[in-house]
């Protein structure tokens, strides 16, 4: 079956909505349907279709078409791939056939069986995927020790996630910049392109280290750490002879010298996953038949990289479906779901729930006078002020529509002098301090406050009362907080 092209998908969407696609439409569709959510045959992976449909319908308002109808249309055109990551196993087996002739049959069979479990279990949870990949490296590929880190390339920090088959306590239990003359620091330089190709080629020829990059994953192999100028010798001694502070007994002199770093992440990623792999515990070489073992390692890495990309795309789409793109706060869809859940919880647990409705004063005038770009900047700055004041991971900030925001305050009382009114007044006061560089105008905000059970007995009444209080704040001169009676 021929590969499905992006043009074919666009044509079907154009026909479905009954419109001719403009360059702007195609640009928007390219963003909504990135390459990472498409399978090798060009189809759209099933887990992403409902999210994509919701976003695509927004591009064509007024057509009367629904996301559910679009999903049905895509499926009818056979543009949807029923994928749950298990079909990656077949790709793995196909690559395994190349390796089969060079690797002992029983060894490869055992590895492929373990890899089957890996691919079967991979999902959209990054932490679970890291654990599954670690198990695969140990059980399928035969390595005794694995440490998993997240490397923040912007800050240069390493964060230890977990380890299996490794003794001792990591020095990177919180984000930390490694020593300048260390393997980790050198790996960061390799990923940033700060090491010349000539130096890399020379190191490979001399057997000092090997650096391999393949778009979405890379590896740094060091056969003997004592021969590398960038190795932190103090840590090498701790690895071999032990260290009380790190609760490490030591693996024995000359044992902890061969090491492999597997990196998962493509060019431009701000964060990548790094798997530190060794055989220190078993005292065996990492590669018994290096060429064949590397091929099998690449097979594993390719499958994990694709699963990682799909998981990332899934979470990105989920995040975009509940966040306002301009301000970064939650959108109206998320607010509706969240306020309903919080109200049910407040009723059941008999605790207060407060709601703030906020509206930027004279926003239309700002847009008309200074332009929409300045208006967008005001919206972002107001959102930043609100987020900085409310409680992280407890309160909810949402863009309710246009220049209007809403804040859900669980377990916060309303009324004059109560917590909710104090929070509202802080927001009003801080917004008043906003300065827009090169423009001479002030920003103010009007706020309406209502609380359950003080002002409302049901959810609809709570929202209505907060909205009415906001209306009074506007009527009474703006730049003020009004509390529902």
């Amino acid at each position: 079956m021929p590969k499905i092209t992006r043009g074919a998908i666009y044509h079907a969407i154009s026909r479905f909505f009954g419109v001719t696609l403009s360059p702007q439409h195609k640009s928007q569709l390219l963003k909504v349907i990135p390459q990472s959510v498409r399978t090798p045959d060009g189809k759209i992976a099933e887990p992403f279709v409902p999210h994509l449909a919701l976003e695509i319908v927004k591009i064509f308002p007024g057509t009367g078409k629904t996301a559910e109808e679009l999903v049905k249309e895509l499926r009818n055109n056979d543009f949807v791939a029923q994928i749950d990551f298990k079909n990656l196993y077949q790709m793995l087996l196909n690559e395994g056939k190349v390796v089969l002739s060079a690797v002992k049959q029983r060894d490869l069979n055992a590895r492929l069986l373990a890899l089957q479990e890996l691919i079967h279990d991979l999902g959209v949870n990054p932490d679970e995927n890291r654990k599954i990949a670690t198990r695969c490296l140990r059980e399928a590929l035969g390595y005794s020790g694995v440490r998993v880190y997240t490397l923040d390339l912007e800050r240069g920090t390493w964060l230890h996630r977990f380890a299996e088959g490794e003794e001792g306590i990591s020095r990177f239990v919180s984000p930390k910049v490694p020593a300048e003359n260390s393997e980790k620091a050198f790996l960061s330089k390799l990923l940033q392109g700060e090491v010349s190709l000539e130096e890399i080629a020379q190191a490979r020829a001399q057997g000092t280290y090997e650096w391999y990059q393949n778009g979405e994953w890379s590896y740094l192999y060091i056969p003997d750490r004592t021969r590398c100028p960038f190795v932190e010798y103090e840590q090498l001694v701790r690895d071999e002879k032990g260290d009380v502070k790190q609760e490490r007994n030591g693996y024995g002199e000359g044992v902890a010298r061969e090491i492999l770093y597997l990196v998962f992440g493509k060019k431009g990623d701000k964060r990548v996953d790094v798997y530190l792999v060794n055989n220190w515990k078993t005292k065996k070489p990492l590669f018994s038949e290096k060429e064949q073992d590397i091929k099998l390692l690449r097979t594993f890495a390719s499958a994990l990289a694709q699963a990682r990309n799909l998981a990332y795309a899934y979470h990105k789409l989920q995040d975009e479906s509940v966040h306002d793109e301009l301000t970064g706060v939650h959108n109206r869809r998320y607010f509706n779901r969240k306020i309903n859940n919080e109200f049910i919880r407040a009723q059941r647990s008999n605790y207060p729930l407060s709601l703030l409705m906020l509206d930027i004063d004279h926003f239309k005038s700002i847009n008309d006078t200074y332009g929409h770009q300045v208006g967008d900047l005001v919206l972002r700055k107001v959102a930043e002020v609100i987020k900085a004041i409310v409680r992280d991971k407890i309160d909810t900030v949402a863009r309710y529509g246009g220049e209007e925001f809403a804040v859900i305050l669980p377990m916060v009382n309303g009324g004059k002098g109560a917590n909710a009114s104090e929070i509202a007044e802080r927001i009003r006061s801080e917004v008043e301090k906003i300065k827009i560089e090169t423009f001479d105008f002030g920003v103010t905000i009007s706020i309406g406050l209502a609380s359950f059970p003080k002002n409302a007995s049901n959810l609809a009444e709570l929202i209505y009362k907060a909205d009415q209080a906001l209306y009074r704040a506007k009527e009474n001169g703006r730049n003020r907080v009004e509390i529902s009676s």
Side-chain angles (χ1 to χ4, degrees):
M1 183 179 177
K3 182 176 180 179
I4 293 171
T5 64
R6 185 175 291 277
I9 296 175
Y10 287 2
H11 180 71
I13 292 173
S14 172
R15 188 175 63 248
F16 173 74
F17 287 104
V19 299
T20 300
L21 297 186
S22 66
Q24 184 179 2
H25 286 145
K26 293 179 180 179
S27 175
Q28 290 173 300
L29 288 172
L30 182 62
K31 181 179 179 182
V32 172
I33 314 175
Q35 186 63 37
S36 54
V37 304
R38 298 176 66 197
T39 57
D41 59 2
K43 295 183 180 182
I44 303 171
E46 170 67 30
F48 310 110
V49 173
H51 300 285
L52 295 177
L54 286 170
E55 298 305 313
I56 293 171
V57 167
K58 293 178 184 177
I59 298 174
F60 305 98
T63 61
K65 299 291 187 178
T66 66
E68 291 78 10
E69 291 171 337
L70 177 56
V71 170
K72 185 176 179 181
E73 179 72 11
L74 291 172
R75 286 174 177 155
N76 288 341
N77 281 276
D78 198 24
F79 289 160
V80 178
Q82 299 297 326
I83 180 173
D84 59 357
F85 305 109
K86 297 178 185 178
N87 64 340
L88 293 179
Y89 177 55
Q90 188 57 49
M91 296 168 55
L92 191 66
L93 289 177
N94 291 338
E95 287 198 50
K97 291 175 184 176
V98 178
V99 188
L100 191 59
S101 61
V103 184
K104 294 178 181 179
Q105 177 73 42
R106 64 178 184 276
D107 183 48
L108 181 64
N109 285 346
R111 293 181 179 190
L112 286 176
L113 284 173
L115 287 175
Q116 179 181 17
E117 181 181 358
L118 164 75
I119 301 304
H120 179 83
D121 290 345
L122 279 173
V124 294
N125 184 316
D127 286 333
E128 286 302 313
N129 283 352
R130 292 184 187 109
K131 292 177 182 178
I132 294 166
T134 298
R135 193 169 72 245
C136 176
L137 284 165
R138 299 190 68 218
E139 297 174 10
L141 302 181
Y143 303 119
S144 66
V146 179
R147 285 184 182 268
V148 185
Y149 300 89
T150 294
L151 166 56
D152 188 320
L153 288 167
E154 285 190 325
R155 296 181 173 86
T157 58
W158 289 63
L159 173 64
H160 176 260
R161 294 289 185 175
F162 63 90
E164 285 189 9
E166 279 272 279
E167 64 173 36
I169 300 173
S170 172
R171 297 173 295 162
F172 297 87
V173 290
S174 59
K176 179 180 176 182
V177 177
E180 185 176 349
N181 189 36
S182 67
E183 300 156 43
K184 292 180 175 63
F186 186 73
L187 179 56
S188 298
K189 292 178 181 178
L190 285 168
L191 289 167
Q192 299 279 29
E194 297 175 8
V195 182
S196 70
L197 295 176
E198 292 78 10
E199 181 180 336
I200 293 170
Q202 184 179 15
R204 186 183 186 90
Q206 295 174 347
T208 310
Y209 66 83
E210 292 180 17
W211 173 242
Y212 173 87
Q213 280 187 298
N214 187 29
E216 296 177 337
W217 68 278
S218 320
Y219 74 73
L220 170 64
Y221 171 58
I222 305 173
D224 186 347
R225 296 162 78 192
T226 62
R227 295 180 57 195
C228 288
F230 52 78
V231 167
E232 193 177 356
Y233 286 100
E234 292 82 359
Q235 185 58 41
L236 175 57
V237 171
R238 296 187 195 104
D239 291 336
E240 294 191 340
K241 295 186 177 181
D243 182 71
V244 175
K245 189 175 181 181
Q246 289 185 264
E247 297 182 12
R248 182 166 294 186
N249 295 321
Y251 293 97
E253 189 170 351
V255 174
R257 299 189 179 181
E258 186 183 26
I259 196 167
L260 175 70
Y261 289 88
L262 283 172
V263 184
F264 291 91
K266 55 186 179 297
K267 186 176 181 180
D269 284 354
K270 296 178 180 179
R271 294 182 181 85
V272 296
D273 288 336
V274 181
Y275 292 72
L276 185 158
V277 181
N278 64 66
N279 268 344
W280 300 343
K281 192 173 184 180
T282 59
K283 297 179 172 60
K284 294 180 180 179
L286 284 174
F287 306 115
S288 56
E289 298 178 65
K290 186 176 177 183
E291 183 179 348
Q292 293 79 9
D293 289 345
I294 289 290
K295 285 182 180 178
L296 194 58
L297 188 64
R298 289 176 180 175
T299 298
F300 154 74
S302 296
L304 180 59
Q306 184 168 352
R308 183 180 181 272
N309 289 341
L310 287 171
Y312 171 79
Y314 176 83
H315 284 282
K316 186 172 185 293
L317 283 170
Q318 276 198 322
D319 183 70
E320 289 176 351
S321 71
V322 297
H323 282 87
D324 174 59
E325 185 177 7
L326 176 64
T327 62
V329 300
H330 291 294
N331 58 21
R332 177 74 172 269
R333 182 190 302 118
Y334 182 86
F335 168 83
N336 290 338
R337 185 167 70 242
K338 186 69 173 179
I339 190 70
N340 184 66
N341 292 340
E342 289 293 353
F343 192 86
I344 291 172
R345 190 176 293 113
Q347 279 186 313
R348 185 184 300 130
S349 304
N350 195 30
Y351 64 64
L353 175 67
S354 291
L355 175 64
L356 306 181
M357 300 296 283
L358 313 89
D359 190 271
I360 301 173
D361 298 328
H362 305 293
F363 186 74
K364 184 179 184 303
S365 177
I366 293 173
N367 266 340
D368 292 344
T369 305
Y370 301 100
H372 288 279
Q373 285 187 328
V374 174
D376 289 349
L377 179 59
V378 170
L379 286 167
R380 286 194 292 268
K381 284 187 172 292
V382 169
E384 289 169 4
V385 166
I386 299 172
K387 286 191 295 183
I389 291 173
V390 302
R391 298 168 297 178
D392 186 35
K393 297 181 181 179
I394 299 176
D395 303 329
T396 300
V397 181
R399 187 178 175 191
Y400 198 69
E403 69 271 27
E404 195 169 352
F405 293 86
V407 180
I408 304 170
L409 303 170
M411 296 180 287
V412 176
N413 286 306
K416 189 174 182 180
N419 289 344
S421 62
E422 293 173 358
I423 293 169
E425 179 56 33
R426 281 183 60 201
I427 293 172
R428 186 207 64 77
S429 175
E430 290 301 314
V431 166
E432 199 173 22
K433 298 175 184 177
I434 290 176
K435 300 295 181 185
I436 306 299
E437 191 174 347
T438 74
F439 293 98
D440 186 23
F441 68 88
V443 180
T444 61
I445 196 166
S446 299
I447 304 175
L449 162 63
S451 300
F452 165 83
K454 181 178 176 61
N455 309 122
S457 59
N458 57 62
L459 178 56
E461 187 178 13
L462 177 65
I463 296 174
Y464 175 78
K465 289 288 188 70
D467 202 48
Q468 287 297 301
L470 172 60
Y471 178 78
R472 288 201 307 275
K474 291 287 190 182
E475 288 291 299
N476 292 336
R478 297 183 172 84
N479 191 24
R480 59 188 291 118
V481 177
E482 286 286 346
I483 303 170
S484 178
S485 55

